[in-house]
Amino acid sequence: MVCTFLAICSSFSSAMAAQRERTFIMVKPDGVQRGLIGEIISRFEKKGLKLVGMKFMQATEDHLRLHYADLSSKPFFPGLVKYMASGPVVAMAWEGSQAVKYGRIILGETHPANSAMGTVRGDFCVDIGRNACHGSDSPESGKKEIELWFKPEELVSWGMSTDCWVYE
Ligand code: DAT
Ligand code: MG
């Protein structure tokens, strides 16, 4: 029995490596202030995604201008950068099959009003400018954002023992 289980788990690991994707998830200053760190992390854990990087930090406005560079022409950009630098955030890298897509589903739509109950933004947020969390919108931005927020040595490659119960 134990041997069968180990065999399934070890045959899985090479298949899993091939479909690995990473997303950058952040608990924003309002999420931290409102005590939502544990709640948000918990939803990613329960989904079956794997945490590969995490830090509690206060980002500078310069760093956030880089993070949100694509939005620099938007009228809300200066306010967004100021608010994001106003308090600590939790920066995280999560890994798994379709991690970017699942991350966006867990967090909900950009505007909480369009977010289904059961999503973070649908359950806990009201205004678009206080939507508690960030999630990468494509595998490419996931890679770019993780490189912006983490040094390579801050990311951990590890085998999660439940992987063979999450992936077939
Ligand atoms: P998302 O965070 O869902 O990827 P986005 O990348 O378009 O959304 O925008 C980044 C953040 O900027 C978003 O989480 C909240 C803020 N934002 C977006 N549109 C806004 C608007 N029209 N007014 C105020 N803030 C806005
Ligand atoms: Mg975005």
Side-chain angles (χ1 to χ4, degrees), residues 28 68 71 76 80 104 110 121 128-129 131 134-135:
K28 294 181 178 179
Y68 281 126
L71 300 174
F76 58 83
L80 173 65
R104 298 288 293 194
T110 304
R121 290 164 172 173
I128 190 169
N131 60 8
H134 167 85

Side-chain angles (χ1 to χ4, degrees), residues 95-115:
E95 182 182 292
S97 175
Q98 300 196 69
V100 168
K101 182 177 180 180
Y102 287 128
R104 298 288 293 194
I105 291 172
I106 290 167
L107 300 184
E109 298 294 323
T110 304
H111 201 308
N114 300 326
S115 298

Side-chain angles (χ1 to χ4, degrees), residues 46-155:
K46 287 177 189 159
K47 180 68 181 171
L49 294 169
K50 178 166 76 176
L51 184 65
V52 293
M54 177 162 70
K55 56 184 166 183
F56 185 61
M57 59 181 282
Q58 188 155 359
T60 63
E61 291 193 17
D62 281 349
H63 184 84
L64 289 157
R65 270 185 219 107
L66 290 175
H67 173 75
Y68 281 126
D70 292 354
L71 300 174
S72 59
S73 61
K74 302 281 184 189
F76 58 83
F77 182 73
L80 173 65
V81 167
K82 232 178 178 40
Y83 141 69
M84 289 295 298
S86 70
V89 299
V90 180
M92 293 177 278
W94 286 88
E95 182 182 292
S97 175
Q98 300 196 69
V100 168
K101 182 177 180 180
Y102 287 128
R104 298 288 293 194
I105 291 172
I106 290 167
L107 300 184
E109 298 294 323
T110 304
H111 201 308
N114 300 326
S115 298
M117 298 304 288
T119 64
V120 172
R121 290 164 172 173
D123 284 352
F124 303 116
C125 305
V126 176
D127 272 354
I128 190 169
R130 296 293 182 270
N131 60 8
C133 45
H134 167 85
S136 307
D137 61 11
S138 69
E140 296 69 38
S141 25
K143 190 172 177 302
K144 209 165 119 193
E145 291 172 357
I146 288 170
E147 281 169 8
L148 176 66
W149 287 83
F150 291 96
K151 298 182 188 125
E153 64 270 24
E154 291 173 329
L155 298 168

